[in-house]
Amino acid sequence: MRRFLVIAVCCLCGIAVGQNTETDSLKKLLNKPIEGTQRVQVLEGLSYAYLSAFPDSALQYAQEGLELAEKINYPKGQALCTNALGNVYFHVGDYPRSLELYFKSLQIEEGLKTHTGIPVTYFNISSVYTEQQDYAHALSYLFKAKQEDERKNDSSGILFDLYSLGSIYLRMEKNDSALVYIEQSHQLAQKLNDLNMMGAILNTFGEAYVALKNNVLAGSYYHNSIPYALSVNDKEVLAANYYGLARICSQNNKPDSAIYYARKALTIANEAPFLKQVMEFSTFLSGMFKDKKQFDSAFRYQAMSTAAKDSIFNVDKIKKIQNLKFQEQQRQHAIESARLEFWNNVKLYVVVGASAVLLIIAFLLWQNNKQKQKAFILLQDQQLRTEEAYKELKATQAQLIQSEKMASLGELTSGIAHEIQNPLNFVNNFSEVNRELIAELKNELKKGNSEEIELLASDIEQNELKIIHHGKRAEAIVKGMLQHSRNRTGSKESTNLNALADEYLRIAYHGMLAKNKSFETTMKTSFDAALSSSPEGLPDAGKINIVPEDIAKVLLNLYNNAFYAVNEKNKQGIEGYEPKVTVTTKKTGIGAEIIVHDNGNGIPQNII
């Protein structure tokens, strides 16, 4: 499996293993009388072999292979060579064209039964999106490639996928995720004994630790990567290691060592040549010599950087010309047969055609003018309708807001009515009992039974105290609601927080009960006595300065939410579930805490 590997950190590094040997053997095969499909595969292989050093030659071989594959109707070869063309354009920086070719290759692969090249194409598409810094699409296609490779148990493909995931996350500055995938690729490379990838992986470890500002560990990885790069003649990775060491030395204020390593990297890049790296390394050296006030050397390296940049642009121009040539060759086959017929028809129908064109143009102009008039009238009508719809919408919104207010008021009023009903029932019941006791008292007075009279009087007195207690309780509820409904001043008052929390808990409960007769829940309160009592003998020692109507509104909302949550969970019919709402108050050093807890479903994860 061939993959166009991108190590995307500070510079691009590729896998260039035994390139000369591979090129020579493929050229020998090309000179032999081999069959069409095999020849296409050889041409595609030569395109990969020349990719790093000679993109022009790589483009030529890929084009020749694609033309032959189309001529002999070899779809697999068309997919391979189209993918190879995409790699060439990617290598010289024409990312839109490379992406177009990758998608074309993917379409051909999807039409084949084997689908063997699909993960490779996914991988290459991901590389384009990586260079465009579109990391979301890059990761999407890379994970698709990884899924396909895992399905086919392709260990080599998985190794590339893991390595590239680490490189992308490193670009995204997600260093922890990057290290996870780089470490996985390192373990798999060791398992497969893949020496070709080992140097690149260790180099990327170095880049990751540079990003983490651990230059000591980064330098160690760069040094460990060098022997692997030398063993497989991977010049791009070797140059990247020297350049990484140069940057570390520069940060450690070792300019001579930095220049030494940068020159070694530049020498390798010039020999390859790797023009992007030549431009980057020579720019670095120019800056180093400027800092040392050695302006002759600085200008020399700056000139080298400029020349490399010009070369890159020249390659880009050549690439565009070849691209146009390739497209033209494909197009010529389709239009050549129609050209003669076209000119013959032109000579015969030129006069008739010209007249028809003039008539059509006149008709279109008339029709266009008429359509514009209609459109203008429709636009005015639509504008009037839009204004009317907007007014209706505003009126509807106002009605909805008023309806919501009235619904909330009705819910609150229902809760208050139920809450007041309890003490009023007690007042009525004890008043009725006192009426009966007074009747008995009158009878005993007639009999002169003093002992029974005292007992009846005592009962009447106890009942009267209970009537007073429940009457004051009703009075307190009404007073609290009057405070809630009056115009808010925003001023703080000394308030019994426990009483406020308990009062609105009951109001909310009865409001819920009024809407749902089957509603039931256990209410538990755990109130801090320090918020009610007066341990120092002062009347306001246990009270808190708050705006009571504001806190009451917050509490009412919290209680309603809690009751709704336990009621929804109770509807699910979970065995052993008992709905419960707990309210806790606690005095702290700077104020007080109110905690409302329920054992309902909680907030759904999708709207949290």
Side-chain angles (χ1 to χ4, degrees):
M1 174 186 292
R2 285 195 180 90
R3 297 210 177 193
F4 188 66
L5 180 62
V6 180
I7 305 174
V9 184
C10 297
C11 58
L12 294 178
C13 306
I15 302 300
V17 183
Q19 182 172 305
N20 293 333
T21 304
E22 181 182 3
T23 304
D24 293 340
S25 60
L26 288 172
K27 278 189 171 181
K28 289 179 181 178
L29 281 174
L30 198 63
N31 292 328
K32 294 180 180 180
I34 54 178
E35 296 180 3
T37 57
Q38 189 178 358
R39 189 176 184 84
V40 170
Q41 294 172 6
V42 171
L43 289 168
E44 183 258 353
L46 281 168
S47 176
Y48 275 99
Y50 278 103
L51 184 60
S52 296
F54 303 102
D56 292 348
S57 299
L59 182 66
Q60 178 185 346
Y61 283 118
Q63 284 179 336
E64 188 178 342
L66 179 60
E67 290 172 0
L68 179 58
E70 290 176 343
K71 183 178 180 181
I72 64 174
N73 193 23
Y74 178 31
K76 180 62 180 177
Q78 294 176 35
L80 288 172
C81 294
T82 303
N83 197 55
L85 278 171
N87 290 340
V88 176
Y89 285 109
F90 181 92
H91 192 77
V92 297
D94 189 348
Y95 301 122
R97 180 60 176 152
S98 67
L99 188 61
E100 179 185 354
L101 289 164
Y102 288 148
F103 279 131
K104 184 177 180 181
S105 175
L106 180 62
Q107 186 176 2
I108 298 171
E109 287 284 357
E110 288 173 343
L112 300 174
K113 294 182 179 180
T114 57
H115 291 186
T116 54
I118 285 181
V120 178
T121 311
Y122 282 155
F123 183 94
N124 291 339
I125 293 171
S126 170
S127 300
V128 177
Y129 282 126
T130 299
E131 289 304 310
Q132 297 298 302
Q133 298 182 359
D134 186 354
Y135 299 124
H137 282 90
L139 289 172
S140 173
Y141 277 98
L142 195 51
F143 278 117
K144 285 182 180 179
K146 183 171 178 287
Q147 185 178 13
E148 286 292 319
D149 287 328
E150 288 174 345
R151 184 177 63 83
K152 293 189 284 189
N153 198 25
D154 185 349
S155 299
S156 178
I158 295 170
L159 174 59
F160 276 85
D161 299 331
L162 292 172
Y163 175 78
S164 289
L165 282 169
S167 299
I168 292 174
Y169 281 117
L170 195 56
R171 274 198 172 197
M172 296 170 68
E173 297 182 359
K174 295 184 177 181
N175 300 321
D176 293 338
S177 298
L179 282 172
V180 169
Y181 284 109
I182 297 169
E183 179 59 37
Q184 289 180 9
S185 68
H186 183 239
Q187 292 176 2
L188 184 56
Q190 288 179 320
K191 181 179 178 181
L192 299 175
N193 194 27
D194 192 331
L195 300 180
N196 296 332
M197 282 293 294
M198 192 63 72
I201 292 171
L202 294 174
N203 172 267
T204 309
F205 265 126
E207 296 294 344
Y209 284 108
V210 165
L212 292 169
K213 301 188 184 305
N214 188 341
N215 286 343
V216 175
L217 198 53
S220 175
Y221 276 109
Y222 286 141
H223 281 296
N224 290 337
S225 172
I226 289 172
Y228 286 102
L230 288 170
S231 67
V232 297
N233 195 28
D234 194 337
K235 293 182 179 180
E236 283 188 283
V237 172
L238 185 62
N241 286 321
Y242 288 138
Y243 182 55
L245 292 170
R247 286 181 287 131
I248 291 175
C249 290
S250 176
Q251 292 175 11
N252 293 337
N253 294 321
K254 297 180 179 179
D256 292 338
S257 298
I259 290 171
Y260 168 76
Y261 283 117
R263 279 175 165 170
K264 292 189 72 170
L266 181 59
T267 300
I268 296 170
N270 271 321
E271 290 174 353
F274 304 135
L275 295 179
K276 291 182 182 179
Q277 287 84 334
V278 169
M279 181 176 65
E280 185 175 2
F281 301 162
S282 55
T283 300
F284 175 84
L285 282 166
S286 176
M288 293 299 300
F289 280 111
K290 283 181 183 178
D291 292 340
K292 292 175 67 99
K293 310 296 183 184
Q294 296 180 15
F295 296 108
D296 290 344
S297 296
F299 287 134
R300 179 163 59 87
Y301 283 111
Q302 185 62 46
M304 187 179 299
S305 175
T306 303
K309 185 177 181 180
D310 291 340
S311 298
I312 292 172
F313 286 129
N314 288 335
V315 170
D316 187 61
K317 292 176 183 177
I318 294 170
K319 174 267 303 178
K320 288 181 179 179
I321 293 171
Q322 290 174 334
N323 178 30
L324 291 173
K325 181 181 177 181
F326 172 71
Q327 290 179 340
E328 183 66 14
Q329 288 173 348
Q330 298 298 306
R331 194 168 63 90
Q332 288 298 328
H333 294 293
I335 66 174
E336 186 63 32
S337 59
R339 185 173 296 174
L340 292 175
E341 183 180 357
F342 169 77
W343 284 111
N344 291 332
N345 291 334
V346 167
K347 291 176 183 179
L348 182 61
Y349 298 110
V350 64
V351 176
V352 177
S355 301
V357 168
L358 290 173
L359 288 172
I360 291 171
I361 291 173
F363 174 75
L364 290 175
L365 289 173
W366 173 79
Q367 189 179 40
N368 185 49
N369 184 54
K370 191 174 181 179
Q371 289 293 334
K372 283 183 179 180
Q373 292 177 351
K374 288 183 179 179
F376 181 72
I377 294 171
L378 288 173
L379 182 62
Q380 287 183 321
D381 182 57
Q382 187 65 36
Q383 186 176 2
L384 291 173
R385 291 183 181 181
T386 303
E387 290 175 357
E388 292 175 1
Y390 178 69
K391 291 178 182 178
E392 291 178 2
L393 178 61
K394 290 189 70 175
T396 303
Q397 286 177 335
Q399 291 176 358
L400 285 173
I401 292 171
Q402 184 63 25
S403 298
E404 289 179 2
K405 288 182 178 179
M406 295 304 295
S408 298
L409 181 60
E411 182 180 331
L412 184 61
T413 303
S414 177
I416 296 167
H418 280 79
E419 185 65 12
I420 293 176
Q421 188 63 44
N422 286 336
L424 288 180
N425 286 339
F426 280 110
V427 170
N428 292 335
N429 291 339
F430 284 117
S431 297
E432 182 67 23
V433 172
N434 273 4
R435 188 179 67 79
E436 295 175 358
L437 291 174
I438 289 171
E440 291 182 18
L441 181 63
K442 289 179 179 179
N443 291 332
E444 296 299 328
L445 281 171
K446 291 178 182 179
K447 295 177 182 179
N449 189 348
S450 60
E451 183 177 348
E452 187 64 28
I453 290 170
E454 288 181 5
L455 290 174
L456 290 170
S458 176
D459 288 342
I460 292 171
E461 182 181 11
Q462 292 296 322
N463 288 346
E464 193 65 28
L465 291 174
K466 293 178 180 178
I467 290 170
I468 292 170
H469 169 74
H470 289 290
K472 288 184 177 180
R473 181 183 170 196
E475 180 185 3
I477 293 171
V478 173
K479 181 181 178 182
M481 295 319 301
L482 287 173
Q483 288 178 341
H484 181 75
S485 62
R486 71 188 179 185
N487 291 333
R488 295 170 57 184
T489 63
S491 59
K492 294 184 178 180
E493 300 177 13
S494 183
T495 305
N496 186 324
L497 200 61
N498 289 345
L500 186 70
D502 185 63
E503 176 184 345
Y504 280 90
L505 176 64
R506 299 181 184 282
I507 289 173
Y509 171 73
H510 287 297
M512 187 70 179
L513 198 61
K515 292 192 298 181
N516 184 2
K517 299 297 183 183
S518 63
F519 173 72
E520 59 179 28
T521 185
T522 301
M523 295 184 295
K524 181 180 178 182
T525 58
S526 177
F527 294 148
D528 191 340
L531 293 170
S532 299
S533 61
S534 303
E536 300 177 9
L538 300 175
D540 291 338
K543 295 184 178 181
I544 295 291
N545 283 328
I546 58 172
V547 182
E549 56 267 26
D550 286 350
I551 301 300
K553 186 175 181 180
V554 174
L555 287 172
L556 196 60
N557 286 331
L558 286 173
Y559 294 152
N560 286 336
N561 287 342
F563 289 143
Y564 175 80
V566 297
N567 188 46
E568 288 297 308
K569 188 170 183 178
N570 196 33
K571 289 179 182 178
Q572 298 174 4
I574 300 173
E575 185 177 356
Y577 172 69
E578 295 182 1
K580 183 167 71 173
V581 176
T582 304
V583 183
T584 305
T585 62
K586 179 181 178 183
K587 190 166 186 179
T588 65
I590 59 173
E593 292 180 355
I594 306 175
I595 302 170
V596 180
H597 177 268
D598 66 80
N599 63 346
N601 289 323
I603 303 175
Q605 189 65 32
N606 62 329
I607 64 169
I608 198 166

